[in-house]
Amino acid sequence: MRTGKDKIREYFVGFLETNYDTVVPNFPATIAEGDIQQLGDGTVAYSGYYTFDLGKGSTNKVANAKFTYIYRRGADGKLKILLHNSGFTPAGAVEK
C-alpha cells in the first residue's frame, strides 16, 4: 500500500518497467467501460476498464487495465477516496 504523491509515483514507475527498460505512459487514459454502485449512505464504488498508450523507442502499445475506486462523502460535502486499485487485465499491453 502506498500513500502520498512520491510513493504513488514510485508504484507507477515500477509498474511500467519491463526487462529493465522503461516504457512511458501517455495519459490521459480512455475509460472503456465504467459502473457506479451505491454502497451505502454517501459511499459509492466506481469500477471499470480503461486503456492508455505506452511507448518505448519506436514501439507503441496499448495497455488494457481495470480500476476500482471507493468514495465516501465527507462532512464537508467533498468526495474522499477510501480505496483505489488498478492493474493490467489478462490482455496486458498489446502492440498498436
Side-chain angles (χ1 to χ4, degrees):
M1 182 182 306
R2 292 182 170 86
T3 58
K5 263 185 167 176
D6 290 339
K7 289 292 184 184
I8 292 168
R9 184 180 320 276
E10 177 184 276
Y11 164 77
F12 281 101
V13 169
F15 162 72
L16 296 172
E17 287 181 351
T18 311
N19 299 320
Y20 304 105
D21 294 322
T22 301
V23 291
V24 179
N26 182 13
F27 288 104
T30 300
I31 305 294
E33 180 182 334
D35 184 49
I36 297 175
Q37 296 177 330
Q38 186 76 37
L39 300 178
D41 190 30
T43 305
V44 296
Y46 177 41
S47 59
Y49 297 93
Y50 66 104
T51 61
F52 60 94
D53 293 336
L54 295 171
K56 183 176 118 181
S58 62
T59 301
N60 291 307
K61 294 184 176 186
V62 175
N64 297 284
K66 57 187 167 59
F67 67 91
T68 299
Y69 285 92
I70 297 181
Y71 298 98
R72 174 172 282 156
R73 190 166 304 281
D76 61 1
K78 295 181 181 179
L79 287 176
K80 310 285 183 189
I81 298 172
L82 298 179
L83 175 122
H84 167 249
N85 187 323
S86 65
F88 282 132
T89 65
V94 296
E95 296 290 329
K96 280 180 107 175

